[in-house]
Amino acid sequence: MSAVPAPLRSGAGTGVALRADAWTVRFVAFCALALFGATHWAAITRPSSGGKLVALFVVAVIGGLATAAALELDGARRRWRLPAAAAALLVSLVVILALAGVPGWYLKPWHWDALASGIGDGIGTLPALRMPYRGSDMWVLVVLIAGGGVLLLAAAVLALKPNPRRFGAAALLTATYAIAIIEHRPGHPYFDGLVFAVLLAAFLWADRLQGREATAAIGLGLTAILASALLAPHLASDRPWVDYEALAESLQAGKTTTFSWNHSYAPLTWPRDGTEMARVQGVRGELYMKTENLEDFDGREWVQARGVLGDSDDTEISAGHPGWTQTFHVEIKALKSLPFVGAGTTLAIDHASKHPVEATPGTWVSDGRPLKRGDGYDATVYYPTPGTVELHGAGTRYPPWVFRQLTVSVPPTPGYGDDLRVQFAPYGSGTSNLAQGRYGFQQMNADDVMGASSYAREFRLAQQLAAASTDPYDLVQNVMARVNRGARYTETPPPPGRLAPLDAFLFRDHAGYCQHFAGATALLLRMAGAPARVVAGFSPGSHDGRDHVLRDYDAHSWVEVYFPRIGWVTFDPTPGDSPARGQTTDTLAVRATTPVSKGAAAPSSDRTSDPTSGGTSAQRSSGGTSWTALGVLAVIILVAFIALLVASVRRRRMLARSGDPELEELRMALVRSGRDTAPDLTLARVETLLAGSDGALAYVRTLRVARYGRGAVPTTPAQRRALRRELAAGLGLRGRLRALWALPPRSAEVWDALRPRRRRAYTG
């Protein structure tokens, strides 16, 4: 009895092939979009955490594939679906946290409470931070880096699961990209947006569109891109069609913030939500914006000086550096303040909406109502930015007006009474310190007074630091290194108890915020003979184009030290992980004027500077192998391998479910190579079509015999290669690639190709 040729079931086979192809397209599009978002997310920290985010991308993809595989378990293993998926997610999360920098100790299950507490602290700190984050707080970095990994993992699970939720995955990937570019301005925003839009569209629709639909979609996409290119410059111009900043300000019109600048050293509890306090236009460089000089130390705190005339001499102005004097414009936003915001020594306030008067030398206040939203003015300031060579050579010929910055008040001391004031001798002068009692009538031995006071330890430390220094700038370096040694930044320092706050900070707690670091530095400098004062105001703020934006979390305290023939120079002793300081790696405070003690490690956010360049930071890059490029290449290869592996597994499952894997594979090969798969197509008809190739004909004949005859043998690697060549015939390189995709090599073919061939003897 002869067998009747059975038609190829092209409908079912075509559906299987299309489903496999759609999954591959969706997987590739997802990987491209996710990797693009990950590279942008990496830029929210400085230096960029690109290597970690690429690794997290790989973990997210593997975790998503593992979760998808777990959810596809069937038969007797069906009950393990949810436990296996949960285990895959848990392992992925642990790996993400480890890559983000969490020490292994916290990853043990019995320490997860400490892990949760640390992550909570990091999340709670985020609203006070300016991005990109340049600090070194471990939990902040963990939250920022692991946050990107979690978004990628969640998107991978939604995109790669058996019933994908592509719009949910797209929303997560959009958040990854959008949050990143909001927190840091990309170098090419329009181009980046174009690439993102194309990748997003490919992920959402590339596997669904065919033929005319694809052509129409491409046309609509190009139209949208052209329209965006025309509209975007107008939306981002100085006179935009929609002024979203003005709209946001109008919603906050009733909200203002007033600061009290005197020090208290109490825990900081005031809210910080990133509200814009002021905007500075036309400023050159990164300037610390001053509101008040805190020149008096009253025995406990640094406060604004009283009894000093505003027009008193305050600084020398270097004739050799005209660039140190500049004028900029300040616009007040949510700040409500009597002091005008200036910088360095403010020489003049012009074109002001409120009448300015000099408060203390170099600072100005409104003589009537305070400044508030909508007020503006021009400030002319003298802000020296010398290099280290110039600072080392400044000398010690101090002008007479700086002696008030060498005086401190001492708390009541047994045997010496109260209202004690000590004036310390200038560094290198060889003169003696001077102590005075009430009203200045009683003269006492200053060293004895300090030795009996509550600041005896500070005085001894200051004398030791002065003796170990070669010049005033070297002294500043040594003092700042000592203040930072072993200290940590916290906005909830321990109560000082019976100790003075700065004494407890220096010798017991080693924990505080900018008031503690600046106050202790200025106190030690004065006791060592260097004229110094504490300054309050705002750190340089963030950039918005050419403007500097000062926000509520930029409120800060730092130190100014006087150098002969130069003037007051800015130094910031606060560690790099503070909200106002942690992100200012490009500011003067971490340039040539930032002291870094000899032999001591600089804070993690500092960069080395050129001692002859006037404080300009220099970034160096080493030659040789680009490990980032190699890492990206390795990731691409790994992702490609994973994609091929997953596609192979899914292909095998589809073929197994068909009931006739060999025949189903032939159908898929015909579909993918563009061959006719009409319902009446039979194996015999396929043999006729492939009659020109003995190997391809043998492959189909073997399948036919296996289906209808007895004693069937499996197809051979040589037959599969022959069929692949037939599918690619006449189509060139494109055809060969398409044939590989249509009929992928089996492992037997690979081993057969690698097996050494036996050579035949030459017989002549």
Side-chain angles (χ1 to χ4, degrees), residues 13 19 89 114 130 198 216 236 247 279 358 369 397 438 464 493 496 622 627 660 677 695 698 711 724 738 750:
R19 285 197 299 273
L89 289 175
R130 183 171 63 250
V198 171
L247 179 62
R279 183 173 289 253
E358 291 183 273
R369 291 176 299 173
R397 298 185 62 181
R438 186 182 296 274
Q464 294 169 3
S622 58
W627 294 107
D660 194 343
T677 56
R724 193 178 299 114
R738 190 166 184 174
V750 176

Side-chain angles (χ1 to χ4, degrees), residues 732-745:
L733 177 62
R734 177 174 174 271
R736 289 194 293 273
L737 293 176
R738 190 166 184 174
L740 277 174
W741 176 55
L743 195 67

